[in-house]
Amino acid sequence: MTIVHAKDDTFDAAVLQSEKPVLVDFWATWCGPCRALGPTLEEMAAKYDDFQIVKVNVDECRDLALRYGIEVIPTLLVFKGGQVVNRAAGLMGEQEILALVRG
């Protein structure tokens, strides 16, 4: 699967209405740990098809960041059935992310 880059107007369709679990990465271009996490998420998107990965740039989507209480980036939220079921902040490896999604 490919990573979806959601904006304010596409977030609900990409995340809340998804039939699969969705891992949402709240990030920013100036954030070093966010940039370091990027390649891991790209590899995971190519490897796993049982969940979708969506990235949200907090500088472009401040309302979404406020809506979900994002205070630190990167923050990963897991949505199932349109609801947040798990969250974590900071740089994580593939196995930690899988545990978060499949938790």
Side-chain angles (χ1 to χ4, degrees):
M1 290 191 134
T2 59
I3 291 179
V4 173
H5 293 267
K7 305 278 188 192
D8 291 321
D9 60 344
T10 60
F11 183 85
D12 287 0
V15 177
L16 302 182
Q17 298 169 12
S18 175
E19 293 184 15
K20 291 184 178 183
V22 182
L23 174 71
V24 180
D25 173 28
F26 285 87
W27 71 290
T29 57
W30 48 264
C31 167
C34 299
R35 288 194 313 271
L37 182 60
T40 300
L41 295 178
E42 292 287 344
E43 289 174 17
M44 292 179 73
K47 198 188 296 190
Y48 303 103
D49 63 359
D50 59 323
F51 63 94
Q52 176 67 53
I53 298 174
V54 174
K55 293 178 75 76
V56 174
N57 185 319
V58 296
D59 289 333
E60 296 172 358
C61 304
R62 293 180 194 270
D63 288 343
L64 283 173
L66 286 171
R67 182 167 147 192
Y68 290 103
I70 306 304
E71 297 177 357
V72 176
I73 55 173
T75 291
L76 301 176
L77 299 184
V78 179
F79 287 79
K80 292 182 182 174
Q83 301 294 317
V84 177
V85 297
N86 219 340
R87 70 185 295 145
L91 185 58
M92 298 170 60
E94 180 177 336
Q95 294 306 312
E96 293 172 295
I97 296 169
L98 279 178
L100 188 70
V101 171
R102 296 182 175 158

